[in-house]
Amino acid sequence: MADEREPPPMEESNENNEDDIFSEAIEEQPDEDSKQEPTRVPIKADINTDDLFSGEGDEDESNPFNSVEPPKPTEEPTPTPQISVSSHSSSSAVKVTASKPSKEEEEEEDEFTIDIKVSDPQKMGDGMGAYMVYRVRTKTSVPAFRKAELSVLRRFSDFLGLHSKLAEKHVSKGVIVPPAPEKSVIGMTKIKVSKDDSGSSDFIEKRRAALERFLTRTASHPLLRMDPDFRDFLEREGDLPKSTNTSALSGAGVMRLFHKVGDAVDKISFKMDESDEWFDERHQQVENLDVQLRKLHSSMETLVHHRKELSLTTMHFSKSAAMLGNAEEHTALSRALSQLAETEERIEIIQHDQADNDFYQMAELLKDYISLLGSVKEVFHERFKTYKVWKEAEATLTKKRENKAKLELAGKNDKVPQAQNEITEWSEKVEKGKEDFEKISQTIRKEMGRFDRHRVEDFKTTVVRYLEQLMENQQKLIKCWEAFLPEAKAIA
């Protein structure tokens, strides 16, 4: 009797197929259903897996096969760009592969690679005038660069200056510019006044890794890696022009602070009538993701702190056990205590390594993406400012037309041509404002697609690597205690 019924419409397939989602797939005739959804199931699944955090992909919920046929890793049509975000890695390679065939701007550089490594931090000068320089090595096959291998020295302010130039040119167009590492007055003061660099090595390594990740993310962007300032940063030998606007206490820094206050006031005084539900949903998702990442980052920092305290306490216990073993007269017990001290010493090293693993892999990744979400919010705010300029131009145009009508009614024909010119001028501004708003909206959509793909890939790679390292350290702990167990049993 099921064969006599007519096939239901596509939008109602979910309701009619709830009873038996497998039988209909088997019983349907090939000539009727050869063009239907089952042949596209793997592609739909891939789209969903690329966006684990954004909450999109609702359009696939009507397909019952998504719940019973998970995507196979071997059936992925195209790989997504993979960027190393590990802060303790010695190099960062950006392999630009075809992530989305529909994006022409990414296809142009698919076959090219950029490998950037920041290394060899050196202290230059003495006293409060001292500063750090880093060796930036680049290997690339991008023809826009003069050489395939480049090596330059750059100081921290050069990195900040590069970010400032890129943000000034591209953020207003809706491009997400990766954030540069934050300045640390306390960390740099310790380096300047300290004669021994050993106490500041941890701070220097963290900064080196953060600078490397900044360049890596910038090089992975199809537009930013072709920027003249970025290529000049990697290619130009010798010192770059000194960046004067990077200090928080400079005139430019104070102006940036005033601009932020003014933007906050604009958000309160001017309400944007959002007509695009996509932007409304994404803005809310970004805010929620920011809150959750900050909570997770705080918890991870607490975990790192406790692991370091545990490592320090284990070291003290090891020393105490060793001293007790030396004072013990019973031979077997003394040997067992000495072995216990050695075991605790090895465990202390493992716990310290795990604390570093927690920080460099997870805490730094979370911190990076909290900063990246700040850059995402900036482009959303630029869209808001573009909308505000457009609507203010429309309001001014309306006033100009009303003024012209009043002049015509008052018989002041000599002023009508000037009023008409003003109307023409503001009409052009309105059209430009509308065009700019549509353009930045389209750019932000593309940028959010890239951001989501890279975010999912980064978190997947980092979490898997973190768990593998965690399990490896746990296995080392087990082996340590298994080796000590015979000594404990040998106490007579």
Side-chain angles (χ1 to χ4, degrees), residues 316-328:
H316 292 324
F317 177 78
S318 174
K319 293 180 178 179
S320 300
M323 295 175 63
L324 182 59
N326 293 333
E328 179 59 50

Side-chain angles (χ1 to χ4, degrees), residues 397-417 419-420 423:
L397 177 60
T398 301
K399 292 180 180 179
K400 295 297 182 181
R401 287 172 174 170
E402 292 177 352
N403 183 48
K404 178 188 175 184
K406 291 180 180 179
L407 292 175
E408 290 175 345
L409 291 175
K412 300 179 180 180
N413 296 328
D414 55 330
K415 296 183 179 181
V416 171
Q420 182 60 43
I423 292 175

Side-chain angles (χ1 to χ4, degrees), residues 22-142:
F22 297 98
S23 61
E24 185 172 332
I26 298 174
E27 295 174 2
E28 286 174 346
Q29 298 298 325
D31 58 338
E32 295 178 356
D33 297 323
S34 58
K35 299 181 180 180
Q36 291 187 359
E37 300 295 335
T39 59
R40 300 197 303 269
V41 170
I43 299 177
K44 291 290 184 180
D46 284 345
I47 294 175
N48 286 339
T49 56
D50 282 343
D51 199 6
L52 299 178
F53 290 85
S54 64
E56 293 184 354
D58 295 336
E59 64 272 15
D60 289 341
E61 293 178 0
S62 61
N63 192 342
F65 293 92
N66 287 342
S67 60
V68 296
E69 292 186 12
K72 297 181 180 179
T74 58
E75 295 181 0
E76 293 182 358
T78 52
T80 56
Q82 298 184 2
I83 305 173
S84 174
V85 296
S86 175
S87 60
H88 63 277
S89 61
S90 59
S91 65
S92 300
V94 179
K95 294 185 178 180
V96 187
T97 56
S99 58
K100 293 290 180 180
S102 61
K103 296 193 173 183
E104 297 178 356
E105 65 275 11
E106 294 183 4
E107 288 180 342
E108 294 178 357
E109 303 292 341
D110 287 345
E111 66 275 18
F112 303 131
T113 60
I114 301 181
D115 180 5
I116 301 178
K117 181 174 72 172
V118 179
S119 60
D120 303 332
Q122 304 174 22
K123 182 179 178 180
M124 307 295 290
D126 297 319
M128 295 306 295
Y131 59 92
M132 298 297 299
V133 296
Y134 304 85
R135 174 71 62 180
V136 180
R137 293 185 174 89
T138 306
K139 294 182 180 179
T140 179
S141 60
V142 179

Side-chain angles (χ1 to χ4, degrees), residues 133-356:
V133 296
Y134 304 85
R135 174 71 62 180
V136 180
R137 293 185 174 89
T138 306
K139 294 182 180 179
T140 179
S141 60
V142 179
F145 289 86
R146 294 196 302 265
K147 299 179 181 179
E149 296 187 9
L150 305 163
S151 179
V152 294
L153 286 176
R154 295 289 180 259
R155 56 188 298 178
F156 182 70
S157 59
D158 294 332
F159 289 85
L160 297 182
L162 172 63
H163 173 266
S164 178
K165 293 175 182 178
L166 295 177
E168 183 179 356
K169 289 191 291 185
H170 298 286
V171 171
S172 60
K173 300 177 182 178
V175 177
I176 300 175
V177 178
E182 298 178 353
K183 300 191 70 173
S184 175
V185 178
I186 298 177
M188 278 307 301
T189 302
K190 290 181 179 179
I191 294 176
K192 291 179 179 180
V193 301
S194 176
K195 296 182 179 180
D196 185 10
D197 294 338
S198 60
S200 306
S201 58
D202 188 44
F203 168 78
I204 295 174
E205 172 59 23
K206 292 178 182 177
R207 171 165 284 188
R208 182 209 64 79
L211 293 173
E212 189 174 277
R213 293 195 301 273
F214 163 65
L215 292 181
T216 300
R217 288 196 172 98
T218 304
S220 70
H221 196 287
L223 178 62
L224 299 181
R225 67 169 172 261
M226 301 305 296
D227 188 274
D229 289 319
F230 181 68
R231 288 189 283 114
D232 189 53
F233 179 89
L234 298 178
E235 290 180 331
R236 184 170 180 173
E237 298 180 357
D239 297 335
L240 293 174
K242 187 176 181 180
S243 301
T244 58
N245 298 331
T246 57
S247 175
L249 300 179
S250 64
V254 176
M255 290 302 298
R256 285 195 297 268
L257 179 61
F258 278 114
H259 284 312
K260 289 182 179 179
V261 174
D263 292 341
V265 174
D266 286 341
K267 286 184 178 180
I268 299 174
S269 59
F270 184 86
K271 297 298 182 181
M272 178 178 179
D273 296 331
E274 184 60 76
S275 57
D276 194 330
E277 294 183 0
W278 186 90
F279 279 98
D280 194 22
E281 293 175 358
R282 294 314 300 267
H283 186 272
Q284 188 62 38
Q285 290 170 2
V286 168
E287 293 292 340
N288 293 338
L289 182 59
D290 184 42
V291 172
Q292 297 302 324
L293 287 181
R294 289 181 184 276
K295 290 181 180 179
L296 184 56
H297 180 256
S298 177
S299 300
M300 186 57 66
E301 285 189 326
T302 303
L303 177 61
V304 172
H305 176 71
H306 288 320
R307 283 198 196 277
K308 289 184 177 181
E309 283 189 342
L310 178 61
S311 175
L312 183 62
T313 305
T314 303
M315 181 185 65
H316 292 324
F317 177 78
S318 174
K319 293 180 178 179
S320 300
M323 295 175 63
L324 182 59
N326 293 333
E328 179 59 50
E329 296 180 355
H330 193 282
T331 304
L333 181 57
S334 175
R335 185 172 60 249
L337 289 173
S338 299
Q339 187 67 27
L340 176 62
E342 294 178 3
T343 302
E344 291 289 346
E345 185 177 352
R346 291 194 295 269
I347 291 176
E348 182 269 332
I349 297 175
I350 295 174
Q351 290 170 342
H352 187 272
D353 291 342
Q354 184 58 48
D356 289 341

Side-chain angles (χ1 to χ4, degrees), residues 401-466:
R401 287 172 174 170
E402 292 177 352
N403 183 48
K404 178 188 175 184
K406 291 180 180 179
L407 292 175
E408 290 175 345
L409 291 175
K412 300 179 180 180
N413 296 328
D414 55 330
K415 296 183 179 181
V416 171
Q418 180 181 356
Q420 182 60 43
N421 292 335
E422 292 178 352
I423 292 175
T424 303
E425 178 184 354
W426 281 100
S427 297
E428 294 176 355
K429 290 183 178 180
V430 169
E431 291 297 325
K432 185 178 184 303
K434 181 180 179 181
E435 180 182 352
D436 291 343
F437 180 73
E438 293 175 350
K439 186 181 298 183
I440 193 174
S441 298
Q442 183 179 5
T443 302
I444 291 176
R445 284 178 177 270
K446 294 181 180 179
E447 289 293 298
M448 289 303 296
R450 287 190 68 260
F451 174 78
D452 287 334
R453 292 194 302 274
H454 284 267
R455 173 169 52 85
V456 171
E457 187 63 31
D458 284 350
F459 272 88
K460 173 187 173 182
T461 304
T462 304
V463 169
V464 170
R465 185 169 58 244
Y466 173 74

